[in-house]
Each structure stands twice: as C-alpha cells, then as structure tokens.
Amino acid sequence: MPTLTFDRARACVIERVLAHRLFAAPESVALECAAARVLAEEIRADRDLPALSRSVRDGFAVRAQDVPGTLRVIGEVRAGDRFEGAIAAGEAVEIMTGAPVPRGADAVVMVEHVTRGADGSVTTDRAANPGQFISPQGCEARAGETLLSPGKRLGFADIALLATVGKNTVAVCPKPRVALLATGDEIVPVTGTPREHQIRNSNVYSLAAQVTRAGGVPVILPVAHDEYEDTMGLMERGLEADLLLISGGVSAGKYDIVERVLADLGAEFFFDRVLIQPGQPLVFGRTREKFFFGLPGNPASTMVTFELFARGALELLGGQSQSVLPFVLARLTRDFHHKTGLTRFLPATVDWNGTEPQLTPAGWSGSGDVPALARANAFLVADADRAEWKAGEVMPVLLK
Ligand code: AMP
Ligand code: MG
C-alpha cells in the first residue's frame, strides 16, 4: 500500500474523484437560494451587455472632434430614459451616469470639466478622446455569449450576473449526502455522561459542520464499536450515501479494524498513509462505486484531513470543476522549527488587524486538544523539507 507525500496524496484524490464521479440529475432553485450552490447549466447573455452604449459619468455627450470649445446644449438624457434626437456639429446633450449615449455623440465630457454659459451653452478647455467615458454596446458580453459554465460554485457576483441575464431560477447540482461514521469503544454520544475512560463523540459534529460548509448534507450514523460485525453493518449503511467518512480505527492498533472491514467490502485502496502530521494514517479508497476516507480519530487529525483531502473530494462530487485550498501567507511573530520529513498542519492564530496578517503558532498539547483547536483560527503549513523559519519570515497558513 503506498505512502504518499501531501502533494501526491492530494493529487491522487482529485484525479480519482474526477475520473469516477457520477452526476445526479440537477435540481432547480430560486435565485435567492442559489448562493454557494454549484451551477449545473450553461448561462448565456440574453442580450448585449450593455444593451446599448452608456455613459459612465455625469456630464455632456459630445462629438470628440468639437472639443475643446463651446457647445450648444440641445437637451438632456437621464438613466432609464433615452434621447430620441441626434447630436450634430457644435452640439451637446447633458447626460447622467448610466444613460444611453445619444446618436452622433462619441465621447462624454465630465460635468466637472465644463463651465455653463448664461445662454445655456457649455464650454470645455479639454480635448476628448473618441469613446471616453462611454461603455460601448456589448463591451461586457455579446448576446448569446457563455457567461458561466457548469461546475462553478456560485458566489455573490455570479448571483448578480444571473439576475442581470434574467435567470430567476437556476439549475444546480444536488448536494452530496455524506455518511459520518465514528468508531471506537471509548466514544459515547454527546447526550451521554462519559465515564472517566470514555470521551464524547465530537468528531461527527466537527465533520458535519465541515461537510455542510463544503456543500454536502451530513448523515450521522450510530457509533461503531471496535468490532467486526458492528463496523461492517454500519459501513454498509454508510456506503448508501454519496461519500463515506469514517473517523478512527485506521491506526496500527489491535482493534483498528476499519481497513480490514473495508477490504472485505471489496474496497480498492489508493493510499493508507500520508507523510503529514496530524493525520498520518489516512485511508482513501473506493468500493461499491462510492469513495470513502478513513480519517484518523484524533480530533485534530480528523479536522485537518477533512480539510486537506475529503473536502476536495466532496466538492468535486458535488459538481464543482475545481476545489480550492485556501492557503494564504502570514508573517511569523516568532521563530518556528519542526522535524523534517512530514508536512505539518499545526493550529495557529492569525491576527488580521494590522497592515498584514501576523502568524503565531498555537500552544497545544497534541492532536486531542480540542480547546486549542477551537482557539486557533488557522493551521500553519510547515514544509516537509524545511526545518527552520525565523520571526519575520512568511509561512503559508490554511484558513479554518
Ligand atoms: P483512533 O484513530 O481510533 O486510534 O483514535 C485516536 C483517538 O482519537 C482516540 O483515542 C480518541 O481519543 C480520539 N477519538 C476517536 N474518535 C473520536 C470521536 N468520534 N470524537 C472525539 N475523539 C475521538
Ligand atoms: Mg479507535
């Protein structure tokens, strides 16, 4: 079974999911419900954008060749209206931002650059370039031109564009259903009272939050005991969803039986170890035409491996053409060092209140430290090949 570097493992996930994803029939949603959904149809311009040449300033529509000079004002045109006549030599029409440019005019002179005469004329001492302050008809898009393609997760500008072309309802990809299966004899439900040697099931809730944010619908299964039959039965249920995420049971312990059960379910494994920390014993594979991840059970490992790998798989299964990892650069407030060999994703705090983001590694007591994970607002990314960073150097961080 291969052990992969972070980059290779991420590429493997993207490649496998793109090669084997299945698309369900699109659903139709109202425009005001379409934000963050994944577009499932091609969107074209229903007319030229803009539909006719418009002024981008308040001022006077003129013939560029007539200025500098004094011009006779023959009327006005405001946004939402149009000027029926045409401008001849020596004439101007007062025009407002967004109004159609009258026939004959080929430039707009800003209102700030003219003086008005007592006789209703205007004078400007500036020359004008043909086309200045005019958005020509069709300069943004031609009627019929493709503006959005399937696979885009709709952001606020896309929503504006849909409204612009008159799309009141839009076809989007159905949200993938993601089964969440926590394993472990020590795990008790959040409503239960854990004994000293037990812990509450936090992973399915962090995963459910991550799944929802990534555009999926979480389906929480009962906790599986570290026991073959129980795990097998719950995994079979989980494989009815579009993606199965298992937490725990993938390390080398005597009761870590997840891989064995998956193998008996006919799984093909693409990797079961990645050179990262936290999250080294990470399993990715496919069976019964469904992808699954076996995420290591320590809360930090579960969170980080979801963000790095499972989120990408989920977004692609949800129809997105790309999945973005939101790395940004931040400047270290103190020295940082680690042992080379593994790419580390460690909780950190980024302070955004200054002129540039400042990065402080978090104090934490290891992968089970949920309070530290909640305090952190990012994971710093320590390259596997580099050991030392000095205060003042920049480092990539994965935003939470
Ligand atoms: P495992 O990957 O099964 O070896 O689990 C590693 C550790 O992660 C366990 O000892 C637990 O402390 C913790 N853990 C496992 N599953 C969960 C869960 N569902 N919620 C919170 N912590 C968990
Ligand atoms: Mg376990």
Side-chain angles (χ1 to χ4, degrees):
M1 185 74 56
T3 297
L4 300 183
T5 60
F6 166 61
D7 293 333
R8 296 294 297 273
R10 166 101 185 158
C12 168
V13 170
I14 303 296
E15 191 182 305
R16 294 285 176 177
V17 176
L18 284 178
H20 291 289
R21 61 180 171 168
L22 304 166
F23 288 111
E27 58 191 51
S28 178
V29 293
L31 178 59
E32 55 270 37
C33 301
R37 298 300 302 268
V38 180
L39 188 64
E41 63 174 314
E42 194 166 74
I43 302 296
R44 294 171 180 274
D46 64 329
R47 55 182 191 157
D48 285 350
L49 297 179
L52 37 69
S53 298
R54 301 197 309 165
S55 177
V56 294
R57 290 286 188 280
D58 294 319
F60 290 85
V62 303
R63 301 181 346 145
Q65 68 202 81
D66 291 350
V67 292
T70 298
L71 304 171
R72 194 161 65 85
V73 179
I74 61 168
E76 74 161 33
V77 58
R78 49 206 281 180
D81 215 343
R82 60 189 302 165
F83 186 79
E84 296 303 341
I87 289 177
E91 294 179 343
V93 164
E94 186 161 12
I95 194 164
M96 316 305 150
T97 301
V101 176
R103 265 182 299 127
D106 64 354
V108 169
V109 176
M110 281 165 63
V111 68
E112 292 87 345
H113 295 160
V114 302
T115 50
R116 293 173 195 262
D119 57 354
S121 66
V122 285
T123 301
T124 181
D125 56 7
R126 300 194 183 211
N129 293 317
Q132 80 172 23
F133 300 132
I134 291 176
S135 257
Q137 176 178 343
C139 68
E140 296 158 10
R142 285 294 176 191
E145 197 178 317
T146 298
L147 299 175
L148 292 173
S149 297
K152 187 164 193 205
R153 194 166 193 198
L154 297 168
F156 54 82
D158 303 311
I159 299 295
L161 184 53
L162 290 166
T164 299
V165 302
K167 289 291 290 183
N168 190 31
T169 59
V170 59
V172 297
C173 301
K175 295 183 176 191
R177 293 172 69 250
V178 182
L180 303 178
L181 177 58
T183 70
D185 288 338
E186 77 281 29
I187 309 301
V188 297
V190 69
T191 48
T193 308
R195 313 213 3 231
E196 275 172 1
H197 52 279
Q198 295 178 319
I199 53 170
R200 292 197 180 94
N201 183 4
S202 65
N203 284 348
V204 287
Y205 294 100
S206 53
L207 285 172
Q210 290 173 291
V211 164
T212 303
R213 190 170 74 157
V217 178
V219 179
I220 296 177
L221 296 172
V223 177
H225 295 291
D226 292 319
E227 182 268 313
Y228 187 91
E229 292 300 329
D230 192 36
T231 306
M232 170 69 88
L234 287 164
M235 275 198 197
E236 287 193 295
R237 268 172 71 182
L239 287 167
E240 288 165 18
D242 299 305
L243 175 66
L244 169 60
L245 302 183
I246 304 142
S247 120
V250 289
S251 303
K254 190 170 162 192
Y255 299 102
D256 290 327
I257 57 167
V258 162
E259 273 179 278
R260 185 152 61 87
V261 175
L262 284 165
D264 289 351
L265 283 165
E268 180 185 2
F269 293 95
F270 305 125
F271 56 77
D272 76 349
R273 184 161 288 273
V274 184
L275 296 173
I276 58 171
Q277 195 194 42
Q280 204 172 158
L282 171 68
V283 176
F284 173 54
R286 187 165 171 264
T287 187
R288 300 186 180 180
E289 301 200 315
K290 304 293 170 61
F291 288 99
F292 59 79
F293 287 89
L295 310 174
N298 265 310
S301 312
T302 311
M303 291 179 201
V304 164
T305 52
F306 178 91
E307 288 301 309
L308 297 177
F309 302 102
R311 184 165 64 76
L314 169 55
E315 289 178 343
L316 297 180
L317 290 172
Q320 281 184 225
S321 51
Q322 303 245 341
S323 167
V324 178
L325 266 183
F327 290 134
V328 299
L329 292 176
R331 204 167 289 284
L332 275 167
T333 59
R334 61 172 81 138
D335 295 352
F336 176 84
H337 63 91
H338 79 143
K339 192 161 166 284
T340 55
L342 301 176
T343 308
R344 288 194 170 74
F345 299 86
L346 303 176
T349 306
V350 179
D351 179 351
W352 294 93
N353 286 343
T355 50
E356 62 174 359
Q358 300 285 317
L359 168 63
T360 307
W364 75 325
S365 58
S367 300
D369 190 344
V370 178
L373 290 161
R375 279 195 301 274
N377 62 1
F379 296 96
L380 66 78
V381 185
D383 191 295
D385 297 327
R386 179 171 170 184
E388 308 265 353
W389 286 259
K390 293 280 168 224
E393 288 190 284
V394 292
M395 222 178 168
V397 301
L398 175 68
L399 297 179
K400 253 169 81 185

